[in-house]
Amino acid sequence: MELLNLVNGRWIEGSGAEFADANPANPGEIVARGRAASPEEVELAVRAARDAAPAWRATPHHERAAVLSRAAVLLDAAAEEWGRELSREEGKTLPEAVAEVRGAARILRYYAAEADRESGEIYASPRPGENLLVMRRPVGVAGLITPFNFPIAIPAWKIGPALTYGNTVVWKPSSLVPLLAMRLAGALTEAGLPDGVLNLVYGEADAGAAIIDHPGVNVVSFTGSTEVGRAVIARCGELAKPVQTEMGGKNAAVVLADADLDHAAEQVCLGAFRSTGQKCTATSRLVVEEAVAADLLRKVAAKAEELVVGDPLKDGVEMGPLISAAARERVAAGVRRAVEDGAEPLAGARPYREGQLAEGWFTPPTVLALPGTHLDVWSTELFGPVVGAVRASGPEEALRLANRSEHGLSAAIFTRDLGAALRAVDDLDVGVLHVNSESAGTFPWVPFGGSKLSGFGPREQGRAAREFFTQAVTVYLGTPA
């Protein structure tokens, strides 16, 4: 597949460096090839977005929404085909990949429906003959930088609100998953998006920096690692440019003594191992109350050992590969270091040595019993299918241990005690809390984001996205005497 950049409504071959999109289950298979955009082409993309902004802003909201609705239909129709492509380039299982394409369609439909919702507020004024109106207007050009792990869903939840609220977009996806980016941009173009409203440019860090630094880009929305996200925040601070970042997670699942242990074990494994643990909301820390720790850890380890790992396109496979050889080595090194520091392997922990699993970028689902929270594996995000478990003397200590992280994206608690669940709502410093379900997962109609080093700026998704992609204008509307 030949990958093309989209600039001002034209599909163009970039004039930057060549790159290849490899299948992580079979690295010798190239899914697609392309060229990155040059600095000059990024400049053209920003200029196109600025030129298109006035007309797109003036387009009635329902007409903008109709484009999103038509694109959602195209995504649903192509979900099976694009799901296979997503699985080949990213590595998640085929059912997960197809569900992601359909999820992106649902996101676009949600933001299309914004045209039917209130678009402002009216307040009473203490002065006679006057009303106070709070109106919303687009911010202008949005620079969007998206990661590899959800190559169509995360772009959809940034592009959808940006477009529905009347902004134009310059988008740089991860070069590890470029094909689904081109599919999404193509669907929006086919659905009737005017030239220049959405511009897609491939590239590495230099392309992202060019978008962030460009004076023609009004706001920046970034999803990726904490390290890069902090650099993005710092640079946008220097430029006095609004920024929204969703960064890393080191998410804890807390299992109290009264929990349904079979259900908890199932949900912990889903949170830890689906998408090969490559979710910012994946469960990577497990805190279990001492009274049930032995039983719970035995159940979790058994489920991890039973998982079917292999080619994500094959029926019955439950976990695919990591995204790259570098990711596989990072995870393996993290597990080795943990074991050297005293962690006890309960499942996995040994790299695959032969067959397809050794040839591809696979790593085993791993459960480690930790001697304490001082190990790097407790605090460092490996972004793979590894969960480290510690024991707590009781519910209060369990919540304290769960909070012992510089990240605060998501958490889960398993308990039958409503009071314990409500205490977790009050005490856990996270942006997303699941009670009796896995730590991963989000719906497009509710806010998404984290605290501490997991997020900065307004939340994503739901109506919260309006806070970032629009500016409030307060109007004092008086009638002449």
Side-chain angles (χ1 to χ4, degrees), residues 3 50 61 153 156 168 204 254 261 318-319 356 364 477:
L3 297 165
R50 290 203 70 80
H61 196 167
T168 56
E204 299 298 337
V254 176
L261 297 188
E318 297 170 288
M319 195 180 90
Q356 184 196 11
L477 183 62

Side-chain angles (χ1 to χ4, degrees), residues 117-431:
R117 302 183 182 110
E118 54 83 14
S119 60
E121 302 163 359
I122 299 178
Y123 293 86
S125 170
R127 297 193 290 249
E130 181 180 72
N131 284 297
L132 308 180
L133 281 62
V134 179
M135 312 295 288
R136 293 280 176 174
R137 66 183 181 195
V139 295
V141 177
L144 310 181
I145 301 173
T146 59
F148 77 85
N149 57 329
F150 285 90
I152 194 166
I154 289 178
W157 83 45
K158 293 181 188 291
I159 293 170
L163 295 182
T164 199
Y165 297 129
N167 303 283
T168 56
V169 169
V170 180
W171 168 34
K172 189 198 86 67
S174 168
S175 58
L176 294 172
V177 287
L179 181 51
L180 265 291
M182 196 170 82
R183 294 301 190 206
L184 177 57
L188 287 161
T189 300
E190 185 179 343
L193 201 64
D195 293 351
V197 173
L198 172 65
N199 301 273
L200 165 68
V201 290
Y202 297 116
E204 299 298 337
D206 56 341
I211 292 170
I212 293 166
D213 287 349
H214 200 293
V217 173
N218 300 100
V219 298
V220 173
S221 180
F222 166 86
T223 297
S225 72
T226 300
E227 180 184 5
V228 177
R230 293 178 77 170
V232 171
I233 294 166
R235 183 57 181 152
C236 287
E238 293 174 2
L239 299 170
K241 185 174 294 190
V243 62
Q244 171 192 66
T245 65
E246 194 275 291
M247 300 179 283
K250 196 66 185 169
N251 311 294
V254 176
V255 181
L256 300 185
D258 69 326
D260 179 330
L261 297 188
D262 288 328
H263 175 73
E266 176 190 52
Q267 292 296 306
V268 167
C269 287
L270 289 175
F273 305 132
R274 278 207 287 207
S275 295
T276 321
Q278 297 177 124
K279 295 180 179 181
C280 53
T281 53
T283 302
S284 57
R285 298 184 298 143
L286 175 58
V287 183
V288 55
E289 202 169 346
E290 180 70 49
V292 295
D295 286 347
L296 188 280
L297 293 178
R298 185 172 60 252
K299 292 174 185 291
V300 170
K303 287 183 177 295
E305 292 283 9
E306 292 167 359
L307 279 175
V308 179
V309 180
D311 185 337
L313 289 171
K314 290 185 177 179
D315 290 342
V317 168
E318 297 170 288
M319 195 180 90
L322 291 164
I323 188 64
S324 67
R328 182 181 62 183
E329 178 51 35
R330 182 186 66 246
V331 170
V335 172
R336 281 197 307 271
R337 188 164 56 249
V339 173
E340 290 168 359
D341 290 343
E344 177 190 357
L346 303 180
R350 295 184 179 88
Y352 296 115
R353 299 298 186 190
E354 58 184 23
Q356 184 196 11
L357 297 184
E359 295 169 3
W361 296 325
F362 294 90
T363 194
T366 295
V367 182
L368 302 171
L370 307 184
T373 61
H374 58 283
L375 275 67
D376 284 348
V377 74
W378 179 262
S379 56
T380 301
E381 185 180 31
L382 295 180
F383 218 60
V386 179
V387 59
V390 298
R391 301 182 181 212
S393 60
E396 290 184 2
E397 186 187 25
L399 296 183
R400 284 198 302 271
L401 292 174
N403 273 332
R404 196 170 291 173
S405 172
E406 64 182 4
H407 294 100
L409 180 54
S410 181
I413 184 168
F414 296 88
T415 179
R416 292 185 173 95
D417 184 341
L418 179 59
L422 292 175
R423 283 192 294 276
V425 173
D426 287 339
D427 294 345
L428 286 178
D429 191 2
V430 294

